[in-house]
Amino acid sequence: HPGVREARVVVREDAPGEKRLVAYLVGEAGAEEVRAYLRASLPEYMVPAAFVELEALPLTPNGKLDVRALPAPEYGAGEAGYVAPRTPTEEVLAGIWAEVLHLERVGVEEGFFELGGHSLLATQVVSRARQAFEVEVPLRALFEAPTVAALAGRIEALRGEGSGPVAPPMERVPREGPLPVSFAQQRLWVVDRLDPGSPAYNMPAALRLRGVLDTAALRASLDALVRRHEALRTTFAERGGVPVQVVHPAAPVELVELDLGALPEAEREAEAGRLAVAEALRPFDLARGPLLRSTLVRLGGEEHVLLFTLHHVVSDGWSTQVLVREVSAFYAAFSRGEEPRLPELPVQYADFAAWQRAWLAGGVLEAQVDFWRERLAGAPPLLEIPTDRPRTQAQGARTGTHRLTLPAEVSRALRALSRREGTTLFMTLLAGWQALLSKYSGQDDVVVGTPVAGRTRRETEGLIGFFVNMLALRGDLGGDPTWSELLGRVRETALGAYDHQELPFERLVEALDVERSLGHDPVFQVTFELERAAAHEGLALGEVGIEPLTAGAEIAKFDLDLGMEDGGERLEGTLLFREPLFEAQTVGRMAAHLEVLLGAMAAEPARRLSEVSLLRGAERVQVLRAWNATAQDFPRELCLHELVSAQAARTPDAVAVIHDGGSLSYAALDRGADRLAHLLRGRGVGPEVRVGIGMEKGAGMALAVLAVLKAGGAYVPIDPAYPEERIGYLLRDSGTALVLTQAQLAGRFSAGGVPVLAVEALQGELAAEPVGAPASGVAPENLAYVIYTSGSTGLPKGVAVPHRAVVNLATDMAARLGLRPEDRLLNFASLSFDVSVEEIFTAWSTGAAVVLSREELFAPGALRAAIEREGITSLELPSAYWAEW
C-alpha cells in the first residue's frame, strides 16, 4: 500500500488456543484503509484480525525488530469505529461474543464472522444466549443478523412474542441406579451387538512428542483426566433388553510403553506407523472396557509417539480436542510439582443423556420430527452413483483413501464467493459436492449427511462424550439453477437443519420409518464435513512439543465420505470410500471432477450447472474423441434379413438352426421364411407395420422372425408367459397389426383385439406361396423390431430399432468375435423369448448356427454333450445356471 512505509505481521496467542494475525503499521495510511485494501485481494483468513498503528517499529540494540516490545492489540474495531452497547441485551451479547472470540471488547456494529467467528463458535454464542435470555435463539438468527445490534433486536423480538418451549437446565442426576444411554449411544450399542468388535467406530489420535518427557507426569495426567470425565470410565450393560451406562470408580490408567530404540533409525518410523494402525484397529469390548487406551512409543532420544484410541460411544472429534488440551494442562502442572487447577465440570455425560431423554419427548419431539419429516418427504432412499462393483448385504470395513488439494487461487476464490453470497465456506463446498453427486447419479434430489458437534448447551462444551449428531441436508438441484441460485438453496437448507439439530439421527430414522437394507445406509449414503485446523496445534506438554500424526487407519462409515480442512492457503481434503464398491482410480477421477466444478463455481457463479463440463484436458480428448472414434465401414444399403439371404446363397447346405434334436440348413431357413413372408404381405404387412411374435423358442420362431423382416415389417417379441395385462399393454402400445404364435398359445393373445395367426394352421397356405423373397420396399431406415424394457420403474417402454442400426452392430460383433461358419452360438438365456436378435443375426450373417434349446438342455450333462457334439465355441448362460454348474 503506498501509505505504508513499514509493516510487520506476527502471530499472537493472546488467549489460550486462539492464534490471530496482528499487523503493525508505520505510515500515513490508517488501519481501516489498509484493512479494506487487503480484503480486495486476499482471502479473509489472511487479513489480520487487528491492526496497530505505530510511530516506529520497536528495535533491539542490534537494530532488529523487538517482537516482545510490540504492544498487544485491541481486536475488533478501532476507537473511531467502536460503538459501545446501548441496551442491556446488547451489553450481555457483546460480553458473550468477547468471551467466545477471546476479544477484549466487541462493538455492537462489528460482524461476527469478520471477527473470526465460524459455525462452531456460532453454536457456542447461541447456547450462551439461550441460557442468558431464557429464549430459544435459532442458529439461523446469527447468520441473518451477524452484528451484536442486529442479533439483540432479534432476541428482544423473540422474548416479546415467545419462541416456544425453553429447554430445562441440565442438572446432575442420582448415581444410585442404572444410568440411561443417549440416543446416539444406543445406536452404537446395537451396531456393536450386530458386529461385535468392529473397528468402524474406533477413534484413534496419534501425537508426536519432541522433548524431554516426564513419563510419571504423563501417567498422572491420564489418571486425572479419567477421574475428571466419567465417560472415560464407563461401560455398557444390558438391563431388560436395553443398554445402560455403568460408571466405574476412578482407577489408574494403563499406559503401555514400547521402545523402538533398538531398531535401526530408518526402520523406527515405519514400525511406529504399523503399531499406530494396529492399535487403531484393535477392537473394544463395550461391556468390559476400558474404552480409552493409551500407548507411548519411544522412537529414541527425546522423540516419542503417543497413541490414544477411544470408542466412539464415549467420544467424538470435539472430545479428542478436549482430551489433548486437558492432558496438556495436567502435564504442565504435574511436571512442575503443582496441583492442576481446572474449573469443575458442571455436569457429566450421563447427566446429558438423562436430560436429552427427558427433553426430547412430547411436543418438543413432535415439532422436531414434523420438521424433518416434511423436509425429507419423498427423498430418494438411495443415491444411485454408478459403482465399480455391485452392492452386497455385507459391505465390509475395507476403506480406500484419496487425498486432494485445491489450488490456492481456487481456494481464495471460494472464500471470496462465500463472502459475496452470504454463505459459509461449508455451504459453498457442500453445494459443489452435491452438484457433483447430481451429475454422477443423474438425480436432482441429493441427500448428503453432515456431522454437527451436537453441543448446543454450554454445559457440554468441556465434556468428553458422544455428542456429535448427523444432519440430512437435502439438495434441490432441479430446474438447472445457476451456482448463485444453488448456493441460496443450500444456505436455506443448512440453516433450517441447524435450527433443528436437536433431533438425534437415530430418532429421525425411526420417525421416517424408512425401509432398512443391509446393502446401504438409511436416509443418505454420502457425507461431507469441513474441519478447522487441528485445535491441539500449538499446545505442548510443558516443554515437550506436540505435533499431530496421521494414524493411517481411517474407516469409511458410508459409501463416500468427503472431509475438507480449512487451515491454510490451500483447502485440503480426504475422500474416504468403501473399497468393495469403488476402485481407487474411479474415486481419483471423482475428486478431479470436484475440483473442476468448484473452480467453475468460483469463476462464474452466474453460469448454470448444465453449462459446466466435468471433462478437462486429456480426459476430454479421451472421452469425446478417442472413445468415439469407432467409425467403420458396414453395408449401409442392406437390411438385416438380406445378410441372411446373402449367407444362404454362399453356403446353402450349412446348418443354420439346431432345434429339438433336428436342424435346419440355410437354404431351408431362407426358403421357409420367403413363403411365410409372402403370406404376411398378403395380410397387409409392410414397412413400419408391427407384427407380434409370441412363440416358444424353436425353428418356428426363427422362421417367423426372418419372415416378418422379409415382408418389410418390424417384429415385437412378446413372451407368452407374460400376464394378460402386460400382453395387452404391449399390443396396444406398439400398435401391433397381427400376432404370429403357435396353436397351443393362441388363447394367450385373443384378448388383445388383434388378429392372431397360428403358424401350424397355415401350412396349406404356405405351400401355395411363390418361391423367392417378396418385394417389400423396406429400406435400411425402416424399423426392424420394437423391444420393451422390463417396466420395473413404471410402465414398459418400447425401443424402436431400425435395420441400419442392427446391421451396423451385427457387422461389428462378427468382426470382434471372429465368428466362423463352423462355429456354433448356443443361446438359451431363458425359455422365454429373451433372445438377443443381434447375436442371432451375427451368427447367421457369418454362416454360424444358432442353437435354440429345449428345457432338457438345462441339465448340465446334456449341455456338455451338446457342446461336444456341436463344437460350440460361444455360450450365453443365465447367472442361475452358472451357479448350478
Side-chain angles (χ1 to χ4, degrees):
H1 190 282
V4 177
R5 295 198 304 272
E6 290 183 279
R8 177 65 186 266
V9 179
V10 300
V11 178
R12 294 185 65 104
E13 190 172 359
D14 296 304
E18 291 291 335
K19 293 183 177 182
R20 286 185 171 85
L21 293 176
V22 179
Y24 295 89
L25 309 175
V26 176
E28 295 74 32
E32 290 309 309
E33 181 183 353
V34 176
R35 188 196 302 271
Y37 175 77
L38 293 176
R39 281 181 173 162
S41 57
L42 289 180
E44 189 68 32
Y45 77 96
M46 293 183 71
V47 178
F51 293 80
V52 180
E53 299 176 42
L54 301 174
E55 294 288 333
L57 295 177
L59 302 178
T60 66
N62 296 328
K64 297 182 179 180
L65 179 69
D66 188 352
V67 176
R68 294 186 178 183
L70 292 172
E74 289 188 359
Y75 294 100
E79 289 295 334
Y82 174 76
V83 179
R86 298 155 297 195
T87 68
T89 303
E90 288 182 350
E91 186 174 357
V92 173
L93 270 182
I96 290 173
W97 284 30
E99 178 188 11
V100 170
L101 296 170
H102 297 291
L103 301 178
E104 187 68 26
R105 67 180 185 181
V106 174
V108 297
E109 300 299 337
E110 297 180 75
F112 177 77
F113 298 100
E114 292 180 357
L115 293 174
H118 48 75
S119 56
L120 281 179
L121 294 179
T123 301
Q124 295 184 33
V125 167
V126 168
S127 69
R128 284 162 168 74
R130 182 186 294 119
Q131 184 181 47
F133 300 108
E134 296 185 347
V135 65
E136 284 297 322
V137 182
L139 188 62
R140 172 194 294 268
L142 184 53
F143 284 86
E144 296 175 345
T147 66
V148 168
L151 186 59
R154 290 288 187 93
I155 290 175
E156 288 170 354
L158 289 171
R159 295 181 70 185
E161 66 189 27
S163 62
V166 178
M170 199 175 295
E171 299 175 344
R172 293 184 65 86
V173 297
R175 296 298 195 267
E176 287 80 14
L179 297 168
V181 297
S182 67
F183 294 115
Q185 285 182 323
Q186 182 170 336
R187 178 174 66 88
L188 288 198
W189 181 81
V190 172
V191 169
D192 184 75
R193 296 291 291 267
L194 294 173
D195 189 10
S198 169
Y201 290 94
N202 286 10
M203 298 197 65
L207 304 173
R208 186 185 295 276
L209 311 181
R210 299 182 189 274
V212 179
L213 182 66
D214 185 342
T215 307
L218 178 60
R219 289 181 179 275
S221 301
L222 295 176
D223 291 344
L225 181 78
V226 172
R227 280 196 304 272
R228 178 173 170 82
H229 294 278
E230 288 183 354
L232 298 181
R233 43 192 169 92
T234 296
T235 57
F236 297 84
E238 183 178 350
R239 298 286 189 274
V242 297
V244 295
Q245 297 191 67
V246 179
V247 179
H248 299 272
V253 177
E254 181 184 13
L255 176 63
V256 178
E257 294 188 61
L258 302 173
D259 192 343
L260 304 183
L263 292 177
E265 187 173 350
E267 298 178 14
R268 295 173 192 169
E269 288 288 340
E271 179 61 14
R274 188 195 67 78
L275 290 171
V277 171
E279 167 55 30
L281 298 178
R282 194 153 59 93
F284 283 99
D285 185 336
L286 301 191
R288 297 181 59 185
L291 302 183
L292 162 68
R293 297 194 298 258
S294 52
T295 303
L296 181 64
V297 181
R298 180 178 176 275
L299 298 179
E302 299 178 357
E303 191 166 351
H304 296 77
V305 171
L306 179 59
L307 305 175
F308 291 116
T309 311
L310 299 94
H311 196 282
H312 204 349
V313 77
V314 295
S315 179
D316 54 20
W318 184 308
S319 298
T320 303
Q321 298 174 17
V322 173
L323 181 151
V324 175
R325 185 172 65 245
E326 293 194 353
V327 167
S328 178
F330 283 135
Y331 181 91
F334 286 130
S335 62
R336 295 192 301 264
E338 301 174 359
E339 191 66 26
R341 296 179 180 177
L342 270 66
E344 184 180 353
L345 294 173
V347 293
Q348 292 286 338
Y349 187 83
D351 304 312
F352 161 77
W355 173 89
Q356 183 192 54
R357 289 188 174 273
W359 166 238
L360 282 177
V364 173
L365 178 61
E366 290 176 10
Q368 291 270 340
V369 169
D370 288 345
F371 169 84
W372 285 107
R373 187 179 284 126
E374 179 182 350
R375 281 297 176 96
L376 296 175
L382 178 65
L383 186 62
E384 299 283 0
I385 297 178
T387 59
D388 295 307
R389 287 177 285 272
R391 292 181 179 276
T392 62
Q393 290 192 343
Q395 296 295 345
R398 288 189 295 112
T399 299
T401 303
H402 181 86
R403 310 288 180 187
L404 63 148
T405 301
L406 298 182
E409 61 273 16
V410 174
S411 301
R412 288 195 295 269
L414 289 171
R415 292 186 178 101
L417 175 66
S418 301
R419 292 195 297 271
R420 292 196 305 270
E421 297 291 338
T423 61
T424 64
L425 183 59
F426 167 84
M427 297 172 186
T428 301
L429 294 173
L430 174 62
W433 182 228
Q434 289 184 325
L436 178 72
L437 297 172
S438 175
K439 284 183 176 288
Y440 264 69
S441 65
Q443 298 171 223
D444 291 336
D445 196 347
V446 176
V447 182
V448 171
T450 189
V452 289
R455 298 175 188 249
T456 58
R457 306 290 154 178
R458 185 175 182 179
E459 303 96 315
T460 64
E461 292 177 6
L463 289 179
I464 290 177
F466 184 17
F467 296 92
V468 68
N469 192 23
M470 295 299 294
L471 300 183
L473 302 181
R474 186 177 184 180
D476 174 14
L477 294 100
D480 192 19
T482 64
W483 286 114
S484 293
E485 291 169 347
L486 178 60
L487 285 171
R489 296 179 188 180
V490 171
R491 179 178 181 273
E492 286 304 303
T493 297
L495 291 178
Y498 293 155
D499 286 344
H500 297 82
Q501 63 176 286
E502 297 276 11
L503 183 68
F505 181 69
E506 299 72 27
R507 298 302 303 270
L508 170 63
V509 174
E510 293 176 11
L512 293 178
D513 194 25
V514 296
E515 182 179 350
R516 299 300 185 97
S517 169
L518 294 177
H520 64 80
D521 298 284
V523 185
F524 52 79
Q525 299 80 43
V526 176
T527 64
F528 172 69
E529 180 179 11
L530 176 64
E531 298 177 337
R532 302 282 163 177
H536 51 261
E537 291 183 5
L539 291 180
L541 295 175
E543 299 297 321
V544 179
I546 298 177
E547 299 175 14
L549 186 68
T550 302
E554 297 161 299
I555 296 178
K557 300 176 180 65
F558 300 90
D559 294 352
L560 293 168
D561 185 348
L562 174 62
M564 300 294 294
E565 183 172 310
D566 180 19
E569 185 179 9
R570 293 175 172 84
L571 292 169
E572 298 182 348
T574 301
L575 186 52
L576 301 181
F577 60 95
R578 283 178 168 156
E579 287 188 335
L581 292 178
F582 298 100
E583 296 283 357
Q585 63 182 16
T586 299
V587 176
R589 204 161 45 241
M590 182 179 291
H593 290 162
L594 176 62
E595 181 181 328
V596 169
L597 284 184
L598 291 174
M601 183 202 307
E604 299 181 90
R607 290 187 70 184
R608 298 197 176 277
L609 270 61
S610 63
E611 299 171 352
V612 181
S613 171
L614 297 177
L615 305 180
R616 292 290 186 275
E619 185 182 24
R620 184 179 184 87
V621 173
Q622 180 187 48
V623 172
L624 298 184
R625 297 181 185 176
W627 286 352
N628 285 307
T630 60
Q632 65 175 358
D633 291 333
F634 70 96
R636 296 173 178 270
E637 73 287 354
L638 295 182
C639 290
L640 188 54
H641 56 279
E642 292 172 332
L643 296 179
V644 183
S645 296
Q647 185 62 41
R650 288 192 297 268
T651 59
D653 297 326
V655 175
V657 179
I658 300 170
H659 64 96
D660 296 341
S663 64
L664 204 62
S665 68
Y666 270 89
L669 173 67
D670 198 50
R671 188 167 53 249
D674 284 344
R675 293 181 183 276
L676 182 54
H678 278 288
L679 186 147
L680 293 175
R681 289 286 296 161
R683 301 295 177 96
V685 176
E688 302 301 317
V689 175
R690 280 78 154 176
V691 178
I693 297 182
M695 307 174 73
E696 291 180 346
K697 201 174 297 183
M701 181 200 70
L703 282 165
V705 169
L706 192 54
V708 170
L709 297 176
K710 282 174 172 280
Y715 81 89
V716 182
I718 304 175
D719 190 335
Y722 282 159
E724 289 186 9
E725 182 180 355
R726 182 182 175 97
I727 291 175
Y729 170 80
L730 297 183
L731 292 175
R732 293 189 303 273
D733 188 69
S734 64
T736 296
L738 62 87
V739 175
L740 289 178
T741 185
Q742 293 154 321
Q744 70 272 21
L745 301 174
R748 300 284 301 153
F749 303 94
S750 59
V754 176
V756 179
L757 300 180
V759 176
E760 299 96 324
L762 303 175
Q763 296 307 311
E765 296 180 55
L766 290 174
E769 295 292 346
V771 177
S776 65
V778 67
E781 293 79 16
N782 291 125
L783 283 183
Y785 62 91
V786 178
I787 192 165
Y788 276 79
T789 64
S790 65
S792 58
T793 59
L795 290 174
K797 302 170 185 63
V799 180
V801 184
H803 279 267
R804 178 168 289 165
V806 192
V807 170
N808 180 19
L809 182 59
T811 303
D812 180 70
M813 288 178 66
R816 291 175 185 270
L817 297 176
L819 288 176
R820 302 160 299 170
E822 62 270 22
D823 290 337
R824 299 288 184 266
L825 178 67
L826 177 67
N827 187 318
F828 55 90
S830 73
L831 290 180
S832 62
F833 199 97
D834 192 10
V835 179
S836 165
V837 70
E838 291 88 354
E839 288 179 324
I840 291 177
F841 279 95
T842 296
W844 282 345
S845 64
T846 56
V850 175
V851 181
L852 299 167
S853 72
R854 296 188 307 173
E855 187 171 3
E856 51 263 32
L857 270 182
F858 276 84
L863 178 58
R864 289 194 185 92
I867 291 173
E868 295 169 359
R869 182 178 67 249
E870 303 297 342
I872 293 166
T873 58
S874 176
L875 292 176
E876 179 183 323
L877 298 171
S879 58
Y881 194 88
W882 283 118
E884 182 182 352
W885 253 29

